[in-house]
Amino acid sequence: MTAKPPRLSSAIRAKLHAARVARLTTLDDHHRPHLVPICFVLVGNVFYSGIDRKPKRVDARKLARVKNVENTPQVALLVDHYEEDWAVLWYILVRGEAALVSSPAEHKRALRSLRAKYPQYRGEMLPDDAPILRIAPTRITAWGNI
Amino acid sequence: MTAKPPRLSSAIRAKLHAARVARLTTLDDHHRPHLVPICFVLVGNVFYSGIDRKPKRVDARKLARVKNVENTPQVALLVDHYEEDWAVLWYILVRGEAALVSSPAEHKRALRSLRAKYPQYRGEMLPDDAPILRIAPTRITAWGNI
């Protein structure tokens, strides 16, 4: 782990702000990868993702990604662009550490940022007490047309 | 690990055949996740992904995903659909084991299938001797509008 978070260029920051979906890898307690699409928002140098009310089989706090980061904080987050013209592909790979947000002030700020980015979150989809994951980057790799 | 590969429903199979991009998680030698977008093809119950000539910093066989599966075969592959209407979201999470294809007959078949799916591979983008990853599912989870 680096003590200081990696710097994000303005080009990378613009792509991350514009992206509507990312993919998040967490590790289960056998160190096997689990991978899901997530909605997220970048605030400063930190990513937030809410455990929202899209249908889930289990309670939010028993969700695989939540249990996984409680045991193993190492995660990978990918934001990318695909189209058939392969000259314009790009991706941004964020490796870092994830945890549930516990500070009420940080939770409130993250919730507000998620609702500002996603109109879908302004209704009941993201309740005020929704668990929120914070992903703090330790390493960022950018590839392709950025 | 299950001895028999999981069955794919025809609805899941149709989504996997139509998908143009997937995301692949491999694990580095410190068991930290690495995550990239990949092109892939489903042949029977097995996924293939070529190490193609999209620009890379290193030689194909030194690529992170290749080195990683040689050390740790456990991978996760995600195919998903995002749009702003969250009622129609879906994803298919494939957990399984990956290895480089070594049999010449299997390599030839995989190459042919990749070129049939992606016109981009009919030129020099995927040479005849390109390394190809085989991903054999051990568990498949489908979520959402499938």
Side-chain angles (χ1 to χ4, degrees):
Chain A
M1 252 205 81
T2 52
K4 258 176 80 177
R7 302 252 339 222
L8 294 169
S9 73
S10 59
I12 289 179
R13 202 173 277 280
K15 298 282 196 203
L16 294 172
H17 281 301
R20 304 294 293 170
V21 64
R23 281 83 192 179
L24 176 71
T25 299
T26 58
L27 299 176
D28 72 16
D29 46 11
H30 299 287
H31 289 285
R32 288 173 308 211
H34 184 265
L35 175 55
V36 285
I38 61 163
C39 292
F40 75 98
V41 66
L42 175 67
V43 180
N45 289 309
V46 169
F47 298 80
Y48 292 107
S49 181
I51 308 301
D52 58 40
R53 286 192 172 156
K54 298 195 199 92
K56 308 219 173 0
R57 289 194 186 86
V58 296
D59 180 72
R61 286 176 188 279
K62 289 185 186 154
L63 206 64
R65 75 197 83 158
V66 175
K67 283 193 306 176
N68 287 353
V69 303
E70 282 176 342
N71 290 322
T72 309
Q74 277 75 33
V75 300
L77 182 78
L78 183 74
V79 174
D80 67 59
H81 173 70
Y82 182 81
E83 62 181 88
E84 296 307 322
D85 174 5
W86 288 359
V88 300
L89 302 183
W90 57 266
Y91 72 73
I92 299 162
L93 168 60
V94 176
R95 281 169 282 189
E97 301 198 349
L100 280 180
V101 172
S102 57
S103 137
E106 184 180 7
H107 188 277
K108 201 170 170 183
R109 194 167 61 239
L111 206 63
R112 198 168 47 223
S113 302
L114 284 164
R115 287 177 178 154
K117 178 170 177 180
Y118 296 96
Q120 295 93 331
Y121 278 153
R122 288 170 208 165
E124 289 178 358
M125 184 64 91
L126 190 67
D128 285 348
D129 62 349
I132 295 180
L133 284 176
R134 180 210 308 113
I135 298 151
T138 51
R139 193 170 162 197
I140 291 177
T141 312
W143 173 90
N145 185 43
I146 295 187
Chain B
M1 250 206 80
T2 51
K4 257 176 80 177
R7 301 251 341 222
L8 294 170
S9 73
S10 59
I12 289 179
R13 202 173 277 280
K15 297 282 195 203
L16 294 173
H17 281 301
R20 304 294 292 170
V21 64
R23 281 81 192 180
L24 176 71
T25 298
T26 57
L27 298 176
D28 72 14
D29 45 12
H30 296 97
H31 288 286
R32 288 174 306 211
H34 184 265
L35 176 55
V36 286
I38 61 163
C39 292
F40 74 98
V41 66
L42 175 67
V43 180
N45 289 310
V46 169
F47 298 82
Y48 293 107
S49 182
I51 308 301
D52 58 39
R53 288 192 171 155
K54 298 195 200 92
K56 309 226 174 352
R57 288 193 186 86
V58 296
D59 180 72
R61 286 176 188 279
K62 289 185 185 155
L63 206 65
R65 77 196 81 158
V66 174
K67 282 194 306 177
N68 287 353
V69 302
E70 283 176 341
N71 289 323
T72 309
Q74 277 75 33
V75 300
L77 183 78
L78 183 74
V79 174
D80 67 57
H81 174 70
Y82 182 82
E83 63 182 87
E84 295 308 321
D85 174 6
W86 289 359
V88 299
L89 302 184
W90 58 265
Y91 72 72
I92 300 163
L93 168 59
V94 176
R95 280 168 284 189
E97 301 198 348
L100 280 180
V101 172
S102 58
S103 136
E106 185 180 9
H107 188 277
K108 201 171 170 182
R109 193 167 63 239
L111 206 64
R112 197 168 48 225
S113 302
L114 284 164
R115 287 178 178 153
K117 178 170 178 180
Y118 296 97
Q120 296 93 330
Y121 279 153
R122 288 171 206 163
E124 289 179 356
M125 183 64 92
L126 191 68
D128 285 348
D129 62 350
I132 294 179
L133 283 176
R134 180 209 309 113
I135 297 151
T138 51
R139 193 168 161 197
I140 291 175
T141 311
W143 174 88
N145 184 43
I146 295 188

